[in-house]
Amino acid sequence: MMSAKFVIVGGGKMGEAILSGWLASDAAPADSIEAADIVAVDPTPERRAYLEGTYGIACVADVADLPADCKPDVVVLAVKPQVMMGVLESIAHTPAFQESDDGAGPLFVSIAAGLTTERIAAALPQGAPLVRVMPNMPLMVGAGASGVCGGAKATSDQVQYVADLFGCLGRAVVVDESHMDAVCAVSGSGPAYVAALVEHLRDAGAAQGLDPELAEVLALQTVLGTARLIDETALTPQTAREAVCSPGGTTLAALDAMNEQGFSQVIDAGVAAAVQRSKELAAM
């Protein structure tokens, strides 16, 4: 019969990024995870065949298809927020997710944006521990930024364990749940802001006569290089910015023009709008 230490509900891009990253990681605690330890749940036959063939994991179409003796230690809920409640209803009635005779049950991990631990926990088997994670898309290349918080039944050790697991896929920080909307707005949505910056730098360079492909290469490498510069040296974002700005030079002229157009106000407005939308999604 099938057995698993991890069940990943949702075999889409983020679910795949999580399982592939853990399988490839040589850092603890993910370094102990093997393909035989993972079962993925996905309703699409083609997707299941792909995951099975690529990673050697087991797949099922629905959580109800998991046998009763499949007792996972961790269940990752990697489905979209709008289908989460239906999935949780199935989980609540599936024997594989219930407490065993000794009182042990799985640790649930949700990566659904906007859904609070209170709302999710209310639909899980009673007393089930839950940890909420807000990852971002760079998780797919092992460079994710994840915010982690625990539900009412999760212990500090369980929260830290999940943070360590997601730390194997980039960086993970433990935060209070009251800050998760801001995490969503800064790092969850942040890759789109950075991608938009690259787009606009490319287009602005092209408008000044650069070949668009060359302008994109330069813009992208500048973003990558600046992030590494700040990350790997003693420079802060402020001191890195100041180091590039020569008095009376081109960089100050550019920043002055951007600030006159409301550069900082645009960023503030965008993050605030994302926070507000995250709160709205949580209330739906």
Side-chain angles (χ1 to χ4, degrees):
M1 298 291 287
M2 184 186 303
S3 62
K5 294 180 181 178
F6 291 80
V7 168
I8 298 180
V9 184
K13 290 182 178 179
M14 291 302 287
E16 180 185 0
I18 291 168
L19 72 88
S20 65
W22 286 345
L23 289 174
S25 178
D26 58 3
D31 59 346
S32 63
I33 302 174
E34 300 179 354
D37 298 325
I38 298 176
V39 176
V41 180
D42 195 275
T44 308
E46 294 80 8
R47 190 64 180 169
R48 295 198 301 274
Y50 164 77
L51 294 172
E52 289 172 345
T54 303
Y55 302 105
I57 65 170
C59 292
V60 296
D62 190 273
V63 293
D65 297 330
L66 291 165
D69 66 348
C70 172
K71 292 297 184 182
D73 298 306
V74 178
V75 179
V76 179
L77 304 170
V79 296
K80 295 183 182 302
Q82 56 266 37
V83 302
M84 176 67 84
M85 302 315 292
V87 170
L88 294 178
E89 185 175 356
S90 294
I91 285 175
H93 296 92
T94 300
F97 300 106
Q98 309 307 313
E99 286 188 353
S100 57
D101 293 338
D102 61 3
L107 168 63
F108 289 87
V109 179
S110 169
I111 66 167
L115 296 181
T116 64
T117 57
E118 182 179 13
R119 184 175 179 187
I120 295 173
L124 288 173
Q126 187 173 6
L130 170 68
V131 176
R132 179 182 171 191
V133 181
M134 182 68 246
N136 63 7
M137 190 173 288
L139 192 81
M140 297 172 67
V141 293
S146 301
V148 181
C149 68
K153 300 297 183 180
T155 67
S156 59
D157 286 345
Q158 288 171 323
V159 174
Q160 189 58 55
Y161 174 66
V162 173
D164 291 343
L165 277 174
F166 278 82
C168 295
L169 308 174
R171 292 186 179 175
V173 295
V174 176
V175 300
D176 189 271
E177 187 162 17
S178 64
H179 296 147
M180 285 296 270
D181 291 324
V183 170
C184 177
V186 173
S187 58
S189 300
Y193 316 153
V194 177
L197 173 62
V198 172
E199 286 184 282
H200 288 296
L201 279 175
R202 175 200 64 202
D203 295 345
Q208 298 300 320
L210 281 176
D211 175 80
E213 291 185 2
L214 174 60
E216 183 171 315
V217 169
L218 293 172
L220 179 59
Q221 183 57 37
T222 298
V223 170
L224 289 169
T226 304
R228 285 191 58 187
L229 179 70
I230 295 171
D231 187 46
E232 297 178 13
T233 68
L235 293 174
T236 66
Q238 178 181 341
T239 56
R241 172 177 54 79
E242 292 172 345
V244 183
C245 294
S246 302
T250 60
T251 308
L252 274 178
L255 287 175
D256 286 345
M258 291 177 185
N259 288 329
E260 287 177 4
Q261 295 297 315
F263 182 82
S264 61
Q265 291 91 334
V266 166
I267 301 298
D268 290 344
V271 171
V275 167
Q276 179 59 33
R277 183 55 180 161
S278 181
K279 293 181 183 296
E280 292 170 355
L281 288 172
M284 292 177 66

